[in-house]
Amino acid sequence: MNTVQHRVYREKFDVKFYEAGISGTATMRALCNYLQAAANNHSRVLGTSMSDFSDQNMTWVYSRFHVRVDRYPACYENISVETWRSQSSEAFAFREYRVYDEQDAVIVSGTARLVLIDVASRKPVPIPATITEQFIPEKGRALEYDFPSIRKPREYAQKMDFRVRMSDIDINNHANNSSYVDWITECVPPEVMTGRMLRSIELDYRAEIRYGEMITSASAHEEEGADAVFLHSLTSTGSDRPCTLARTTWALQ
């Protein structure tokens, strides 16, 4: 089972019409869902998925997530997601992603840092050797990225409030990562959303978001060059500590 063949996983997807946005291509939320689905199915193949850990009261949660897009796949386009666990430390596991088009060109790259936690205490637990044996450091990283800190601006230019719906909640009983993407990317000026392409998104998850909470999404324009860069935070209403910090980069189309 721990051969290189099994430690690298590839799965095909086709972009459904309801996963496409106004540009006729898959949304960032859809891309993140493809990556998560492939990662979960790979973990199931390896016997180290969330369901495999349920009797041990452990589960995986994302700590950091970074996705970079070279091209969004079009509606009905066939793509494939390749994923593997690249490296680990005592507390963190790193997972890599590449999305290929039908010509086998890489169109999306991603990397994530995950934590294995105790379900009851919600605190990290050491990653057992049965998992670290599944890593394949010789394949390298999909993105050479060390997850630098994301700065929290002193002031924000845009703010929007969202109530966490039951449809936002995943199997871990907290908001799904793709919902974070929606709340974050919605809070930029409309001319940015419609006139630019979301080139990359980086997320730093600080605290879990639960059903029924009111979340304030805020953003600040950090810099303007060839690309527009925004800093973001998600904060539970009534709290000053962000649940998530993020950085988005928007390229001219």
Side-chain angles (χ1 to χ4, degrees), residues 53-154:
F53 287 138
S54 60
D55 61 341
Q56 302 176 52
N57 294 313
M58 296 188 299
T59 192
W60 290 108
V61 295
Y62 282 81
S63 166
R64 296 290 301 268
F65 199 34
H66 178 34
V67 179
R68 188 189 68 201
V69 179
D70 293 318
R71 180 179 73 80
Y72 284 87
C75 186
Y76 308 118
E77 184 174 350
N78 294 310
I79 59 173
S80 58
V81 177
E82 182 183 61
T83 183
W84 67 97
R85 290 173 173 155
S86 60
Q87 60 190 51
S88 67
S89 65
E90 183 177 347
F92 299 115
F94 293 82
R95 180 173 278 283
E96 315 301 326
Y97 310 88
R98 289 195 182 110
V99 179
Y100 296 86
D101 64 14
E102 293 180 77
Q103 287 70 48
D104 215 33
V106 177
I107 58 174
V108 179
S109 302
T111 185
R113 188 177 72 186
L114 295 94
V115 182
L116 191 63
I117 67 168
D118 180 275
V119 172
S121 69
R122 313 306 289 181
K123 294 183 178 179
V125 297
I127 299 173
T130 53
I131 298 178
T132 58
E133 290 172 356
Q134 299 171 353
F135 286 75
I136 181 167
E138 60 267 30
K139 186 169 173 62
R141 305 282 302 277
L143 286 174
E144 290 298 331
Y145 193 73
D146 294 328
F147 295 108
S149 61
I150 299 176
R151 181 174 59 87
K152 179 184 177 183
R154 294 180 180 178

Side-chain angles (χ1 to χ4, degrees), residues 62-64 149-152 180 203-209 234 241-245:
Y62 282 81
S63 166
R64 296 290 301 268
S149 61
I150 299 176
R151 181 174 59 87
K152 179 184 177 183
Y180 289 70
L203 299 110
D204 178 358
Y205 302 101
R206 301 292 186 88
E208 295 174 287
I209 295 176
L234 296 177
R241 299 182 63 183
C243 304
T244 302
L245 294 175

